[in-house]
Amino acid sequence: MNPLVELIDVSLSYAGTTALSGFRISVPEGSFAAVVGPSGCGKSTLMKLVTGLLPPTSGAVLVDDKEIDGPLNIVGMAFQNPNLLPWRTTLENVLLPLEVVRPARYEFRQKREEFTARATALLKMVGLENFADHYPWQLSGGMQQRASLCRALIHRPRLLMLDEPFGALDAFTREELWDVLQTIWTEQRFTTILVTHDLREALYLADTVHVMSARPGRIVRSLDTVQFARPRDEKTFIDPRFNEAVLELREEIRNQRSPPDMQSLTRAAE
Amino acid sequence: MNPLVELIDVSLSYAGTTALSGFRISVPEGSFAAVVGPSGCGKSTLMKLVTGLLPPTSGAVLVDDKEIDGPLNIVGMAFQNPNLLPWRTTLENVLLPLEVVRPARYEFRQKREEFTARATALLKMVGLENFADHYPWQLSGGMQQRASLCRALIHRPRLLMLDEPFGALDAFTREELWDVLQTIWTEQRFTTILVTHDLREALYLADTVHVMSARPGRIVRSLDTVQFARPRDEKTFIDPRFNEAVLELREEIRNQRSPPDMQSLTRAAE
Amino acid sequence: MKNLDRIAPYAVGLLLLLVWEIACSAFKVPSFVLPSPMEIAVALYQNIYVIWFHSSQTLLTTLGGFVLAVIFGTGLGVAVGSSRMAYSSLYPLLIGFNSVPKVAIVPVLVVWFGIGIVPAVLTAFMLSFFPIAVNVATGLATIEPELRDVLRSLGASQTDVVRKVGIPRSLPYLFASLKISITLSFVGSVISETLASNRGIGTLMTQASANFKIPLVFAGLVVIAFMGIAMYAVFAAAERRMTGWAVRGSNFAVGG
Amino acid sequence: MKNLDRIAPYAVGLLLLLVWEIACSAFKVPSFVLPSPMEIAVALYQNIYVIWFHSSQTLLTTLGGFVLAVIFGTGLGVAVGSSRMAYSSLYPLLIGFNSVPKVAIVPVLVVWFGIGIVPAVLTAFMLSFFPIAVNVATGLATIEPELRDVLRSLGASQTDVVRKVGIPRSLPYLFASLKISITLSFVGSVISETLASNRGIGTLMTQASANFKIPLVFAGLVVIAFMGIAMYAVFAAAERRMTGWAVRGSNFAVGG
Amino acid sequence: QDLKPVHFSLDWALQGNHAIWALALKNKYFEENGLNVTMDRGYGSGDTVVKVAAGAYDIGFTDINAVIKFNAENPGQRLVGFYQVFDRTPNSIITLKKSGIAKPADLAGHTIGAPEADSSRIMFGAFAKANSIDPASVKWVSMAPNLRETMLAQGQVDAISGFSSTSVFNLIAAGIPREDIVVIPYSDNGLDLYGSALVAKPEYIEKNPDIIKGFVKATIEGTVALLKDPASGMAAIKEGDPLFDEKLEADRLAYLMDIGVLKSKAFDENGLGYIDPAKMETTIKTNSEVYNIAAPAADTVYTTAFLPPQAERMPPK
Ligand SMILES: Nc1ncnc2c1ncn2[C@@H]1O[C@H](COP(=O)(O)OP(=O)(O)OP(=O)(O)O)[C@@H](O)[C@H]1O
Ligand SMILES: Nc1ncnc2c1ncn2[C@@H]1O[C@H](COP(=O)(O)OP(=O)(O)OP(=O)(O)O)[C@@H](O)[C@H]1O
Ligand SMILES: Cc1ncc(C[n+]2csc(CCO)c2C)c(N)n1
Ligand SMILES: [Mg+2]
Ligand SMILES: [Mg+2]
């Protein structure tokens, strides 16, 4: 399959901090990639590069075989921070992409009811059907995150970018949403890049799990998950190979980190 | 031991939403309590009640045996959202409580160096020693969360409130910080209330784990963890009773939740 | 609390009048220097028709200038706030233009447009567009990049970003600037009327002052003040409806 | 880009002067209606000492009034922005007061304080405190409750909240209001000088206009505009240093 | 029939003497002379001069002294007076009894308030010369025109300069008894100059001689009607301006007639609008000295070409 997203020798430096360096990745069209790595290694930066929110310092970011030079309009993104607009209700927030992306924006008035129904169905799916008319600041942290997920999906993007979309959820809500996401993905087969700290989540959802090194980040390992048949379900969790893979990833990440400074810890605790 | 925090039959209603109802909890002075529960059940609300940021709709919130009627000044709180002030560097953000709480605020000028050293030591502990002079928006999500933890600790509060302080961190950073927190707590023995979605985290750190029902939230189960000797370490994880307790909590939370609506899921995926 | 809130402005207003009245009689301030509220009230009552005749015109020209200012000011603010080029090239010019007292420019307008409603509308406009432009520009320039990124990640155009995030985000400050601007609009149209007009509170005031009827001058001022307050009430209502989200948990609600 | 930015204001300014000059000669605008830039330049050059004598006084009174306005306006803004009571009772009064053209009040000041520097300073102050108060109040009333809670959870007093969150949070808007206010301060002191003063650009302007030396009037205006721009440059520098965080990733930096 | 439109600006807010044209409008004198006149209030003589020169108005009623000055500053845009309305300037020094100032010589060492721009203040040099006092011996305080009387009443200045017809009545309105007000008119103290006139641009006059003629005729008819029945004149203004204070303005008009401004021996003998070339020469010479300009030729300042025969402009007995 053709890669939809390809990063070639990308590096990105903020003033004073090199976030990514010598970064290479290739995500085939229609596949589900997960990215894991230690905190601060450049995962969110990667997401911004792929969507064109940031230009790389060097190297090339190719989407659809073209080097991008600004934000794309085939993307749905759930940011690490839910970033809901405080002057819009949950429903209005979820509808936002349809007011912006082509061609939905031109049909927005006439298809308003259809779009609202679509948004309501998504909200129901994540358990927010009763909060459509609430404002974001009336939602709990986890509820905001779920609304943000709906906003990323509503316009059926070709490329879905999820930056720790389930971080603020309890284990059950989270696992339910895994299945929700899997179902939608199986239907629509958009290309997905998921950043997560939950290794089980990465293995459960993705076709390939990429492990990043500590800052400056680059990919040090890519693990295929073809051995776990789709659709995956509770049985996948008890597959011994699944737990082996979790441990393997765990070990890989541990190698990428430097231990904490226990001396300073003792000092601070004095 | 005397309870430092006690909630008696507390209920809290926002316009249109009852977040807590018939809520009772008692947290002995110097103990470590963890609160777990489904997303949106009222955990963050509980935190605001205990610190006096919100008055209860009915019932009584007692701290130090006195009913509170406004924000307290014995508290260190890490909010679910890091909420760092964007016009202050990381270091200045961490120093903020010392500019506000008594008596530190009066000594702030003369003890500036001592305080800065204390803040720097805390930052080093969480791996942010190189980011003291960065602004919050120059930090990754996980880094912000760690800075926020430092801010909650800097003024050595009598009551530490942590609302999912490790949610945005990878497994290793998270587990290291558990140990960091445990060490500091063992030294200083401040009373702590920790909200988390990670059951292992709750069991590893707390003396008692409280399970909340779905909204309107109340405590349906409180689990003691005396059987796991302190200081806890990697050996605790392999204690079979530990994993049993995790499963037990898991089951308890599952009972508190209603299953998702799979019909609407199929509709949304059409 | 709610009730007290409603009474408060009247109470403070009354108190002020009382202090003024007492001060006037205690210090024997002559009425041609500063008339007492009673004298002003009498002048107001005796000339109510004349005042109505003039003030209706002033209200009209003020609103005309104000509407122009809102349209132009918002546009200018969007331009200045969203392009660095416009910012650095226009800001100094705008400041220069606005530092200049418009009294000196009104005569030019009168020569070009004749005495009447046009110079007054234009003066009201010239005085009041700047605060709107400044606040809209500042609102746009200080949008949280996170919110902007939400839109940019959807491939939104600059215009989309301004419409969907910039304007709503800056609304509280747009309203703030409207409060400043409406007062300046009144000042502008009255000043222009003082300099060249056959109708309007400004005309009334020069005429009264030419005849040394100072209480009538102040009666004119009082009417302007009330028209300003009435306009404010309109904005305040719109503001409450449109920017409730921005003051959601403000101090006002502490303990609520 | 950076260079272009630096040149832009001058380029636009020059362009404007050119258009003005050409329009004046094309439409044969008489110099006593609107002098051309060349005529103004000549008047400026020929009267440079007189202008300096008068403008130095105006600058002084303007700054005096402006400093008062900043102090009082900020205080008032804090009061109005952090207490619902103050908000609902003071806002209407302030609007009323500011809708009134100060031309009518200057005479009262002159009678009380005598002709000279005091009425000019007070007029500059009266015209310019309001935008500052409005923007500070709006800044405080729209603080994100999350940020306020950070301080409140530490048991911070209302004052602490204002100092540590309110003021820094509202700084971009405080600067915005300073830009508005400084222009109003200039207008205020010049207007007061026009009405009663023996020194200042306002005096120069009435004098010149009585002598039909309209180019000199406009030369005075030009000097005021330049003083305004100079003050703006000072604020802009302070603003860049103090509120960089607020425009961190603004459009200005797109692609950077 | 076709009425020719004319835009006419007064020198100041409506006052009693303006009833000349209010009557001309009301009694259709303008229409009878083929004119459709719109009349606007003015904002000072200087301002009226500029507006007529700029073409915003066709005809203005303004101080001839201001015209002389304007012509000197703007030689290409000059104005010409074609009908003298005021035989004398009402410019005066006005003070209160308690100041002890009774004659020009007493002014030395005192403060006088007036706008910098006021013709009374500008003419003061000539006034001082005519009365042999040192102009530097008085201290001037600048203020807006309408602040003058307040400042005098409040004792912030010892005297003010300006039109006595305005200041005297403002002081009375401020509660000062008439007998406490001291007026020292320039025209009684060695500076007998002409006052306000009807003016227009020479090009306009040349192009529209009929309009000018008609306007002069209507003005004369209005003046005659006003002198005959001042009360009807006051009523005519009041109709269009409800703020107009008939009683005050009737008094002001009577005052202007008393002091020989609107009604004078020269007008009585030679007819309304009469210009004594010698007196006009003095007016021009005084202005040229004060402003330090070359004295303009008399025919660039005024013309009598549009005056009807003397018999048609005799004031009522
Ligand atoms: N706007 C910025 N300016 C300067 N440095 C930045 C900026 N954004 C991110 N960084 C730096 O880049 C590095 C990578 O940040 P990034 O947000 O990509 O990390 P991350 O992998 O998403 O971490 P986390 O798991 O904690 O969210 C960090 O060291 C951070 O300090
Ligand atoms: N300011 C508010 N106004 C109205 N409703 C609110 C407000 N804050 C919270 N709620 C409601 O109260 C309930 C509990 O919210 P809370 O934030 O306490 O949940 P939580 O347990 O912290 O959830 P999470 O794990 O997702 O953070 C939610 O239903 C939420 O919608
Ligand atoms: C009767 C009469 N009274 C006052 C004025 C007022 N006024 C108009 S212009 C001017 C100053 C000269 O430029 C003054 C004082 C007047 N014109 N006629
Ligand atoms: Mg991140
Ligand atoms: Mg929460």
Side-chain angles (χ1 to χ4, degrees), chain A residues 44 80 163, chain B residues 141:
Chain A
S44 300
Q80 186 166 14
D163 197 349

Side-chain angles (χ1 to χ4, degrees), chain C residues 103 106 120 186-207 209, chain D residues 101 103-104, chain E residues 12 41-43 47 51 146:
Chain C
V103 209
V106 175
F186 274 109
V187 171
S189 57
V190 173
I191 283 198
S192 169
E193 285 163 1
T194 355
L195 297 178
S197 169
N198 288 315
R199 187 173 163 187
I201 290 282
T203 315
L204 171 79
M205 280 166 47
T206 33
Q207 206 146 332
S209 110
Chain D
V103 210
Chain E
W12 192 238
R41 61 156 295 184
Y43 298 85
D47 190 61
K51 284 185 182 144
N146 53 351

Side-chain angles (χ1 to χ4, degrees), chain E residues 1-307:
Chain E
Q1 115 225 30
D2 262 4
L3 295 182
K4 298 217 177 82
V6 176
H7 292 279
F8 173 49
S9 174
L10 298 174
D11 58 341
W12 192 238
L14 281 168
Q15 291 189 328
N17 54 296
H18 297 142
I20 295 172
W21 300 287
L23 283 171
L25 282 170
K26 186 176 178 228
N27 300 344
K28 304 209 182 307
Y29 303 146
F30 281 130
E31 278 181 42
E32 284 159 14
N33 286 291
L35 305 180
N36 173 17
V37 174
T38 49
M39 176 171 88
D40 286 333
R41 61 156 295 184
Y43 298 85
S45 290
D47 190 61
T48 301
V49 168
V50 168
K51 284 185 182 144
V52 176
Y57 288 95
D58 304 320
I59 296 176
F61 170 57
T62 185
D63 194 338
I64 196 73
N65 299 292
V67 171
I68 295 168
K69 182 163 77 164
F70 179 83
N71 287 356
E73 295 279 347
N74 302 278
Q77 308 278 347
R78 107 198 134 71
L79 298 182
V80 171
F82 57 85
Y83 178 82
Q84 195 63 37
V85 183
F86 284 1
D87 192 33
R88 319 175 78 180
T89 168
N91 274 328
S92 309
I93 298 291
I94 300 104
T95 179
L96 302 181
K97 254 211 185 100
K98 63 172 187 229
S99 70
I101 301 169
K103 53 184 191 301
D106 299 338
L107 282 170
H110 286 97
T111 52
I112 312 179
E116 304 243 6
D118 206 70
S119 62
S120 63
R121 178 162 171 181
I122 290 161
M123 293 287 168
F124 185 81
F127 175 73
K129 196 171 147 209
N131 291 284
S132 327
I133 48 176
D134 178 10
S137 69
V138 302
K139 185 169 168 280
W140 285 95
V141 180
S142 301
M143 55 191 60
N146 53 351
L147 258 179
R148 261 185 291 216
E149 293 81 19
T150 306
M151 300 301 268
L152 178 61
Q154 290 283 296
Q156 302 225 5
V157 291
D158 303 323
I160 57 179
S161 73
F163 278 15
S164 53
S165 51
T166 299
S167 293
V168 167
F169 292 93
N170 283 353
L171 286 168
I172 291 172
I176 312 271
R178 174 69 185 89
E179 56 273 18
D180 286 357
I181 303 170
V182 178
V183 178
I184 308 174
Y186 284 10
S187 38
D188 291 347
N189 290 279
L191 208 63
D192 192 8
L193 308 179
Y194 272 117
S196 301
L198 292 177
V199 305
K201 297 215 274 191
E203 305 87 71
Y204 184 83
I205 295 175
E206 202 169 307
K207 241 186 253 156
N208 306 289
D210 296 342
I211 293 181
I212 300 297
K213 269 195 194 123
F215 205 97
V216 168
K217 251 186 103 200
T219 301
I220 291 166
E221 287 169 300
T223 311
V224 170
L226 179 63
L227 293 177
K228 266 192 199 142
D229 182 6
S232 74
M234 300 306 103
I237 299 186
K238 178 83 178 176
E239 263 175 41
D241 178 8
L243 264 184
F244 192 75
D245 185 335
E246 288 179 82
K247 195 183 155 314
L248 171 70
E249 296 303 336
D251 289 348
R252 196 194 310 274
L253 181 64
Y255 181 83
L256 281 173
M257 299 200 282
D258 273 357
I259 61 171
V261 170
L262 202 54
K263 183 172 163 36
S264 69
K265 193 160 156 272
F267 282 174
D268 282 345
E269 284 170 3
N270 306 305
L272 293 168
Y274 168 76
I275 290 178
D276 172 9
K279 183 169 167 181
M280 187 56 96
E281 205 49 56
T282 317
T283 304
I284 293 173
K285 203 171 130 265
T286 309
N287 275 293
S288 67
E289 277 168 12
V290 175
Y291 299 120
N292 205 8
I293 52 180
D299 64 357
T300 63
V301 173
Y302 77 100
T303 169
T304 51
F306 300 92
L307 287 184

Side-chain angles (χ1 to χ4, degrees), chain A residues 59-118:
Chain A
V61 179
L62 306 179
V63 173
D64 245 350
D65 291 330
K66 277 192 292 290
E67 200 166 336
I68 61 174
D69 62 349
L72 301 171
N73 53 20
I74 56 162
V75 180
M77 177 141 167
F79 292 83
Q80 186 166 14
N81 212 310
N83 287 340
L84 301 173
L85 306 182
W87 51 88
R88 286 174 169 246
T89 61
T90 309
L91 181 68
E92 287 165 353
N93 263 292
V94 173
L95 285 173
L96 177 72
L98 295 176
E99 295 172 28
V100 173
V101 296
R102 265 152 272 258
R105 63 183 301 163
Y106 304 118
E107 309 160 352
F108 192 77
R109 268 154 203 254
Q110 95 209 45
K111 291 208 187 165
R112 180 155 202 136
E113 273 184 33
E114 181 194 326
F115 287 172
T116 308
R118 208 200 281 181

Side-chain angles (χ1 to χ4, degrees), chain C residues 5 84 135 148 158 249 251, chain D residues 5 84 135 148 158 249 251:
Chain C
D5 261 12
R84 188 190 189 81
N135 267 16
R148 204 180 42 242
Q158 182 73 21
N251 315 18
Chain D
D5 262 10
R84 188 190 189 82
N135 267 17
R148 204 178 44 240
Q158 182 73 22
N251 316 19

